[in-house]
Amino acid sequence: MDTELHQEDGDAFSPPEDAFSRLGRRLSEWAMVGLVLMMGAEMVVRTLFGWSIQFSNEVGGYALVAITFLSLASGQLEHAYHRVHFVEHRLGPVGRARLRLGFDLATLVVTAVLLAEFVRFEWITWNSGDVAATSLMTPLWVPRFVMPVGMLMLAWALLATVRGDWRRLQAAHQECRHA
């Protein structure tokens, strides 16, 4: 699907969405469909019968966390995130390539730190045996598991993006030498 955003941000050096990030996007899409269906059922049950599906808030929260984290890698590879184009347009090809590489490297570092913290958090949750204080008594490691998985998927996507950024920078340098 080509949009103006894709044309602006994507180029021959941009990696395509891989199977790993596509799986995360598909899981996010299905979680969204499930969330909408559950919310619809909750509204119907409340309206017609005056009672609630007691677990809908809990499961809905888990679905939102899954949607958020599992869609990160796809968003990165599909250019869904904002870029500051008025700054980029003031730079030459080498400057734009350096800016992209620098930003994506910084993002990769932050992602790696978050990944390490989410893995640590998941490990602590697993060892503690904590469960949700709800009627489902969900072991908390289960819904929290998508956080390190999503960060790992994003780190993988960012590595591919940084490789593309590096090739873009090399090509820009070659272009400037031949100009």
Side-chain angles (χ1 to χ4, degrees):
M1 174 171 78
D2 275 346
T3 64
E4 185 177 313
L5 181 64
H6 285 82
Q7 293 168 357
E8 181 79 25
D9 291 336
D11 60 14
F13 303 103
S14 299
E17 183 182 40
D18 60 11
F20 199 42
S21 60
R22 192 174 307 111
L23 173 63
R25 180 169 49 87
R26 293 285 187 231
L27 291 172
S28 295
E29 290 168 351
W30 282 107
M32 180 64 82
V33 168
L35 182 60
V36 168
L37 291 173
M38 186 179 61
M39 289 170 38
E42 176 73 21
M43 287 188 291
V44 168
V45 167
R46 279 184 189 234
T47 302
L48 296 179
F49 305 112
W51 54 273
S52 173
I53 304 171
Q54 295 299 316
F55 60 84
S56 64
N57 287 339
E58 179 181 1
V59 174
Y62 300 153
L64 287 175
V65 171
I67 291 164
T68 299
F69 282 90
L70 295 178
S71 64
L72 291 172
S74 179
Q76 172 64 30
L77 294 175
E78 291 293 309
H79 312 288
Y81 304 126
H82 294 287
R83 291 198 180 269
V84 184
H85 292 294
F86 74 90
V87 172
E88 286 183 348
H89 289 306
R90 294 174 188 240
L91 301 172
V94 173
R96 279 194 297 274
R98 284 182 181 158
L99 181 65
R100 273 189 164 189
L101 178 61
F103 183 81
D104 289 336
L105 281 171
T107 304
L108 182 58
V109 168
V110 171
T111 300
V113 170
L114 286 172
L115 174 59
E117 286 303 309
F118 286 141
V119 166
R120 187 178 72 79
F121 182 54
E122 183 66 14
W123 185 253
I124 290 169
T125 303
W126 172 272
N127 286 331
S128 72
D130 288 343
V131 296
T134 62
S135 60
L136 291 180
M137 295 186 64
T138 306
L140 291 178
W141 71 268
V142 173
R144 291 176 180 169
F145 184 69
V146 297
M147 295 188 300
V149 168
M151 282 292 110
L152 179 63
M153 294 168 77
L154 178 59
W156 182 258
L158 283 165
L159 284 171
T161 303
V162 166
R163 280 191 304 272
D165 291 342
W166 181 252
R167 289 193 300 267
R168 184 181 297 108
L169 180 60
Q170 290 176 324
H173 277 297
Q174 288 288 357
E175 183 181 308
C176 284
R177 280 189 214 131
H178 292 98

